Amino acid sequence: MSEAVIKLRDVKKSYGSGAARTPVLRGVSFEVARGELIALVGQSGSGKSTLLNIIGGLDTADAGDVEVLGHDIRKIGEKELAGLRNSSIGFVFQAFNLLDHLTCLGNVTLPASFTPGAKDVEARGLEALRRVGLVELAQRHPSELSGGQKQRVAIARALFGAPKLLLCDEPTGSLDSETGREVIEFFRELNEKDQMTLVIVTHERRVSSVARRIIAIRDGQLVDGEELALGAPGDAGGAGAGGPA
Amino acid sequence: MMPVGNLVGMVVRNTVRSPRHFALSAFGIVIGIASFVFFLGLSMGVRNVILGKIFPLEVVEVVAPRASFMGKDITKKLDDGTVEMIRARPEVKEATPRMKVAFPAAGFGMFEGQEIKFEVGGFCDGVDPKVLADDPKLAALFKDWEAAGADDPAKTVACVPPVVDDKGVAGKNPCPDPEFYYCDVQDNRCHRRVPVIVSPTLLELYNGQVASTHGLPVIGDLEQFVVERGGLARMRFTIALGETMVAGSAMATSDKKRRVEGMLIGITPKAMPIGMTVPIEYTRRWNQEFAGDEAASTYSSIVVTLNDKDRLAVFSAWLQEQDLRLEDQLGERFATAIFIVTTLFVLISFTIVTISSINIAHNFFMQVSERRREIGVLRAVGATRTDVKLIILGEAALIGVIGGLLGVGIAFAGAALVDWASATYLPRFPFKPPTYFDFKGWIIAGGLGFSTVFCVVGGYLPARKAAKLPPAQALAAQ
C-alpha cells in the first residue's frame, strides 16, 4: 500500500450521556492510501457520516487515533484544523449546502475568504466551474440552478483549493439517476486523472461500483471486522486494495 | 483569522441580503441614538445660551458679605489689596474691580422723540477699560477721557454753553466735534461725553419689555441702529450727579449737584446686566466728589475670570476663608438644572439603546439559529471559530454604525425642524437663539460609538453561540 492519507485506529464516538448515551462508532480502524477511491457503505444510522465528519475534522472522536494527511486530527489546534479543511480537504454534501445569497462563482471561491494572501481567486474559481462544465453559469445564483447543477457547483467549491482529499457525503442522494451517474463518473475521473483521494459515503450500489474499495459499516463497526476489496472497475480481483484494519 | 478585507466584504454582503433583519435590529438603535444626540445637542445649545450669554459661569463676581454691628456697617471693604490677593490665586485668569456710583444720580435725555428718565445711582458701575481689550472698536471709545495725558485734543477748548429755550430745546453745540463733545456748564469748557456701555441683557429687556409697551423701535444691531439715526451723538443723554428720581432719598437734598453728558457707545456682556457701565475712573472721581475718600477707594465687587470654570468650587472655598463670597450665581443654578435635565434625557436614551441591544441579541440568536447550516458550511471551507464570531460581531457592528448614522441624521433633521419652527412661529423673546442645538463633535462620535458598542454587546452572545456550534451539527441542521 502506498502512503496512507487516512489512518484510523480504534475510533469510537457516542452521542448523548448517561443512560441516553448511544454509541455510534465502536472502534473503527482502517487506512486509505493516496489516490484511492473508497466507498463507505452502510444502513442509515450505521455511523458512516459520523466517520466521514471525524475524518474531515467536522466532528471529534471520543477515542482512538485519527490521522489525516499526516496530521493527528485529535491533537492539532482549531486554527490548524481549519487551515487543513481550507486547503487540503474538500467536502461535498448531499444537500449541496450552497449559500443562496452568493453567485455560483461566489460559492466556489468561498474558501478563499479564509485564506490569507489568496491570489487569482476569480480565475481559479472560473477554472473550477469550467471543470464541472458550468463556467457559463458563474454569475447565476443557486436558486436558478437544477439539482445536478447545484451539486456540480458544490463539487467545484470542493475542488477550488486543489484538495488532496475529497470527502463526499451521499453526493447523489438528492439527484436523479442520470445526474447521479454523471456525478459519479466525474468522481471517477478525478480519481483516475488527478490521483485525488476520495472517500464517498453512500448506500447506493451504483456509487460503490466505481470504488476501488468498499468499507461497510454496520452498527458502528466494520462489517465482519474487515473491508471489501473490489479493485478498480475493470481490474481483476483486489488490485490496489488496502489491508485489513 | 481571515483577512480583514474579506471579513468586511462578507459582513456587508450578509447585512445587505437581509433588509428585514437589519430593520428589526436597527430600529431601536436608530431611535435611541437619535434621542441621545438630539437631547445632548439641545442641552449643549441651551447651556451655551444660558451659561455663555446670560450667566457666564467662568466669570464670577466676588462681593463682601453684608455685616453690621450695633447698627454700624462693618462690611469688609474691597480695595486694591483685595484685588491683588485675588489675582494671585492660581485658578484666576483676571480680576477687575467694579465701583458703583455711591450717591444719587439720575439720567435723562431724548430717545426717538420721547423724553426718557432713569435712575443712575445704584445702577451705574465703573469698570477698568482693559476689560474691553478684546473689542478694539469699543476699546477705542471706552476710555477715561478726563485723565491727565488722555488723547483728547478738545479738552482745553473754552466754550459758552448753549442756551436752552422755554421748550427745553438747546441751542447749537459750540464744541469742535459735537458728536463726541459737549460744553460743560460748570467750567465752560468742552468735555468728551462719558462713554457708556450696556449689556445684552438690558438690550433684551428693552426689546422684549419696553419697546413694545412704549411704542419704541426694537434694536437689533446697535451699530446699524446708530448709523440710521445719525451717529453716536443721537445716543447721548445727561447724567445729573447728585440728583435723583427716588422720592425720599436721604441724599436728594444735598446741595452738591453737577451735570455731565454721557453717550451710549456699545453693547457688550462686559457691562453690568441691569444698568450702565462707565470707565472706573469716572465713578472713582464722582464718588470722591459726592461721597468721600472711602467711597472712592472701595469697590462694590470684583469680577473674576477663572482659568477653568471647573475650579469654581476651589475658588469659592478660598473666598469663604477670606470672609468673601460669590455674588448669587444664577448661572450655577441653571447649570445644575441643565445637568439634571440632560442626565435624565441621556438616561432615557441609554434605556432605549439598552433595550435595543437586547432586541439585537434576540434577533441575532434567531439569525444564528436560522443560519446554522451556513455557519457549518463556513467552518467546512476553513472558517475558524474566531472567524465565525467576528462575522456575527461584524454584522452587529455594521448595524450599529448604520443605525448610529441614521440616528444622528434624524437628530439633525429634528433639530433643523425645531429651529425652523422656533424662527417661524415663536415670538421674539430675550436671548432667543438662532439655534437651540450645539452638536459638538464628541456628541456625534459618542452617538456612533455607543450605537456600535451596544450592538456589538447585543451580538456577542449569539456570536459566541455561533462560534461554538460543532460544524457537523450545524451542517445537519434542517
Side-chain angles (χ1 to χ4, degrees):
Chain A
M1 188 178 191
S2 61
E3 181 192 350
V5 172
I6 301 168
K7 289 181 186 174
L8 302 181
R9 294 278 179 275
D10 199 22
V11 174
K12 293 175 182 170
K13 175 74 179 176
S14 300
Y15 289 117
S17 59
R21 187 177 181 83
T22 308
V24 179
L25 297 175
R26 301 163 187 264
V28 174
S29 304
F30 65 83
E31 292 186 3
V32 176
R34 183 177 301 280
E36 273 198 289
L37 194 162
I38 302 293
L40 207 53
V41 300
Q43 299 285 323
S44 291
S46 60
K48 55 189 188 300
S49 290
T50 299
L51 189 58
L52 193 79
N53 286 335
I54 287 172
I55 293 169
L58 298 176
D59 207 346
T60 52
D62 294 339
D65 296 329
V66 181
E67 191 180 309
V68 177
L69 297 167
H71 298 273
D72 187 337
I73 294 288
R74 295 190 66 209
K75 288 182 182 167
I76 62 173
E78 199 258 335
K79 193 176 170 184
E80 199 178 346
L81 185 58
L84 192 65
R85 287 195 298 260
N86 181 249
S87 61
S88 303
I89 302 175
F91 293 92
V92 178
F93 306 99
Q94 178 181 356
F96 322 131
N97 286 334
L98 299 177
L99 305 187
D100 289 336
H101 67 285
L102 298 179
T103 62
C104 292
L105 183 62
N107 270 285
V108 171
T109 58
L110 188 62
S113 299
F114 305 100
T115 312
K119 289 178 181 167
D120 305 324
V121 173
E122 189 172 326
R124 284 161 53 207
L126 290 171
E127 172 58 20
L129 280 169
R130 190 195 58 73
R131 286 192 71 180
V132 298
L134 291 179
V135 71
E136 70 280 5
L137 303 182
Q139 297 308 322
R140 296 241 185 120
H141 284 79
S143 58
E144 301 172 274
L145 306 180
S146 67
Q149 288 171 327
K150 285 179 184 173
Q151 193 58 298
R152 282 196 279 167
V153 173
I155 292 168
R157 179 178 64 193
L159 298 178
F160 174 79
K164 298 181 179 75
L165 174 63
L166 193 60
L167 303 176
C168 311
D169 191 0
E170 302 279 9
T172 60
S174 300
L175 306 178
D176 60 62
S177 57
E178 177 59 25
T179 311
R181 193 187 59 73
E182 288 173 13
V183 168
I184 294 304
E185 185 57 27
F186 185 75
F187 285 152
R188 193 183 63 76
E189 280 180 28
L190 276 178
N191 176 245
E192 288 189 350
K193 291 182 181 174
D194 297 3
Q195 290 298 298
M196 188 178 288
T197 308
L198 285 92
V199 178
I200 304 173
V201 166
T202 185
H203 58 265
E204 292 189 48
R205 200 65 201 166
R206 60 179 176 168
V207 178
S208 54
S209 68
V210 298
R212 295 190 180 192
R213 191 153 57 106
I214 296 174
I215 298 174
I217 297 184
R218 184 186 299 149
D219 297 331
Q221 290 177 306
L222 297 189
V223 174
D224 297 327
E226 62 179 53
E227 310 151 29
L228 303 174
L230 300 176
D235 285 356
Chain B
M1 190 184 122
M2 64 191 292
V4 174
N6 294 348
L7 172 66
V8 171
M10 190 172 284
V11 163
V12 171
R13 279 195 301 273
N14 288 349
T15 306
V16 168
R17 76 172 143 142
S18 181
R20 182 177 146 271
H21 167 65
F22 173 81
L24 283 174
S25 300
F27 179 75
I29 285 291
V30 172
I31 300 302
I33 296 303
S35 57
F36 174 82
V37 173
F38 181 87
F39 288 126
L40 265 183
L42 178 62
S43 297
M44 287 298 122
V46 172
R47 188 186 164 89
N48 286 351
V49 174
I50 293 179
L51 302 184
K53 292 183 180 173
I54 306 176
F55 307 112
L57 205 56
E58 62 275 5
V59 180
V60 293
E61 198 168 357
V62 175
V63 294
R66 286 269 165 217
S68 63
F69 181 71
M70 305 280 285
K72 189 176 186 308
D73 184 7
I74 56 165
T75 303
K76 181 172 179 169
K77 305 299 179 195
L78 300 177
D79 54 19
D80 287 328
T82 318
V83 175
E84 288 310 314
M85 187 174 66
I86 289 174
R87 277 187 182 141
R89 291 295 301 170
E91 55 269 18
V92 172
K93 187 177 178 185
E94 184 54 278
T96 54
R98 302 186 88 104
M99 185 178 284
K100 280 192 185 306
V101 169
F103 57 93
F108 51 88
M110 298 295 286
F111 181 68
E112 296 292 308
Q114 307 278 341
E115 192 178 343
I116 55 166
K117 292 177 184 170
F118 49 92
E119 190 66 19
V120 172
F123 295 96
C124 178
D125 257 3
V127 297
D128 189 337
K130 283 181 192 163
V131 298
L132 294 180
D134 56 351
D135 188 340
K137 267 188 177 176
L138 278 184
L141 298 173
F142 194 74
K143 291 178 182 175
D144 175 16
W145 297 97
E146 299 290 321
D151 181 20
D152 187 0
K155 192 162 56 178
T156 56
V157 174
C159 62
V160 178
V163 178
V164 179
D165 64 17
D166 296 343
K167 294 175 184 174
V169 178
K172 192 182 175 193
N173 184 346
C175 290
D177 188 354
E179 184 174 8
F180 291 100
Y181 292 85
Y182 71 100
C183 186
D184 192 295
V185 294
Q186 270 79 36
D187 61 5
N188 290 339
R189 289 193 176 277
C190 291
H191 288 264
R192 182 94 175 196
R193 290 193 180 94
V194 179
V196 173
I197 52 175
V198 295
S199 71
T201 307
L202 191 67
L203 182 69
E204 288 294 343
L205 272 174
Y206 164 80
N207 282 338
Q209 308 297 327
V210 180
S212 57
T213 53
H214 291 78
L216 294 170
V218 168
I219 301 175
D221 178 44
L222 181 69
E223 207 168 320
Q224 179 69 22
F225 185 84
V226 170
V227 169
E228 285 170 1
R229 275 147 186 83
L232 283 171
R234 304 303 295 268
M235 295 290 113
R236 72 179 188 274
F237 54 92
T238 300
I239 303 170
L241 304 172
E243 296 180 35
T244 181
M245 290 162 39
V246 178
S249 169
M251 299 178 76
T253 54
S254 168
D255 289 338
K256 198 182 282 183
K257 287 173 184 156
R258 184 159 76 85
R259 290 190 172 190
V260 296
E261 282 195 18
M263 180 171 63
L264 177 62
I265 61 165
I267 294 167
T268 167
K270 305 286 175 60
M272 69 183 295
I274 308 293
M276 61 185 219
T277 304
V278 299
I280 195 167
E281 292 309 319
Y282 285 100
T283 54
R284 197 189 297 278
R285 278 194 298 272
W286 295 343
N287 280 347
Q288 189 155 39
E289 184 180 344
F290 288 86
D293 289 343
E294 189 172 316
S297 61
T298 304
Y299 300 118
S300 50
S301 67
I302 300 167
V303 176
V304 176
T305 305
L306 297 172
N307 288 314
D308 180 357
K309 62 188 171 195
D310 293 336
R311 301 289 293 165
L312 180 60
V314 177
F315 181 62
S316 179
W318 175 80
L319 283 178
Q320 284 183 6
E321 291 171 13
Q322 311 304 317
D323 293 329
L324 298 172
R325 69 171 176 83
L326 293 172
E327 184 65 295
D328 189 25
Q329 286 293 299
L330 276 176
E332 212 172 348
R333 293 187 198 177
F334 274 104
T336 306
I338 292 169
F339 174 77
I340 291 169
V341 173
T342 305
T343 305
L344 184 67
F345 282 136
V346 169
L347 279 176
I348 292 170
S349 306
F350 268 116
T351 306
I352 297 172
V353 175
T354 304
I355 292 169
S356 306
S357 181
I358 295 167
N359 176 52
I360 282 172
H362 175 69
N363 278 328
F364 269 88
F365 270 124
M366 279 171 48
Q367 278 273 307
V368 167
S369 185
E370 287 171 8
R371 290 163 60 186
R372 284 181 71 174
R373 188 180 280 265
E374 176 186 328
I375 291 164
V377 172
L378 297 182
R379 297 294 304 278
V381 299
T384 61
R385 287 195 191 99
T386 305
D387 291 333
V388 171
K389 193 189 281 185
L390 286 175
I391 290 165
I392 303 292
L393 287 178
E395 290 173 26
L398 186 60
I399 287 173
V401 170
I402 297 174
L405 285 171
L406 286 173
V408 170
I410 289 174
F412 272 66
L417 188 67
V418 169
D419 286 342
W420 172 80
S422 166
T424 309
Y425 297 112
L426 285 185
R428 183 184 173 83
F429 57 84
F431 297 101
K432 183 180 178 184
T435 177
Y436 296 84
F437 299 86
D438 181 9
F439 293 111
K440 294 187 181 300
W442 65 263
I443 296 177
I444 295 163
L448 293 175
F450 282 132
S451 171
T452 308
V453 167
F454 273 79
C455 284
V456 169
V457 167
Y460 179 75
L461 287 178
R464 203 174 70 159
K465 182 186 174 188
K468 281 188 171 178
L469 270 178
Q473 279 186 38
L475 286 164
Q478 294 303 307

